Amino acid sequence: MAVEELNKAYTTKYKLIAVPRAELSEADIKKRKSYKSQEIKDVEGKHFVTDHDIRTTTGFKLDTTGRGVLSVLRHCKRLKEVHGGGFVRYAIQT
């Protein structure tokens, strides 16, 4: 269940980024600009989400259990936690 929620957060974010700017509403353009501003050189070229993305696009809660799920995924080398710029980013490891 938790992995599906994380996948939903990733797909929601990157579907919005993939849409041509001319087809987006003002709200979506602002959201896309926000997503683009979160990129730093450590996650350049990788797909990632932030805590805020997870909370706003899914029902996944980042309480003790949710953080435990992220910890297990990091241990299994499926996620990489990247700190910097005031955000914690969770990048997909391939």
Side-chain angles (χ1 to χ4, degrees):
M1 178 78 172
V3 174
E4 293 169 358
E5 294 293 323
L6 286 172
N7 283 336
K8 181 180 174 185
Y10 283 108
T11 56
T12 301
K13 178 178 181 175
Y14 285 97
K15 277 184 182 179
L16 180 66
I17 290 175
V19 174
R21 186 179 175 153
E23 297 177 17
L24 296 174
S25 67
E26 274 301 311
D28 288 341
I29 289 172
K30 286 181 182 178
K31 194 180 288 187
R32 182 181 186 198
K33 187 175 180 179
S34 167
Y35 288 158
K36 289 291 198 176
S37 71
Q38 295 170 355
E39 290 184 13
I40 58 174
K41 69 176 185 164
D42 293 340
V43 293
E44 194 172 323
K46 296 180 184 176
H47 288 236
F48 70 93
V49 291
T50 63
D51 289 343
H52 180 71
D53 299 336
I54 294 170
R55 277 188 255 118
T56 58
T57 59
T58 68
F60 189 73
K61 294 184 177 148
L62 291 170
D63 56 0
T64 306
T65 305
R67 296 253 181 229
V69 169
L70 294 175
S71 179
V72 168
L73 291 171
R74 283 195 321 267
H75 174 75
C76 295
K77 306 285 187 202
R78 296 295 174 206
L79 283 182
K80 181 178 181 184
E81 190 174 278
V82 180
H83 297 268
F87 295 104
V88 176
R89 296 159 185 86
Y90 298 100
I92 295 177
Q93 295 289 91
T94 54

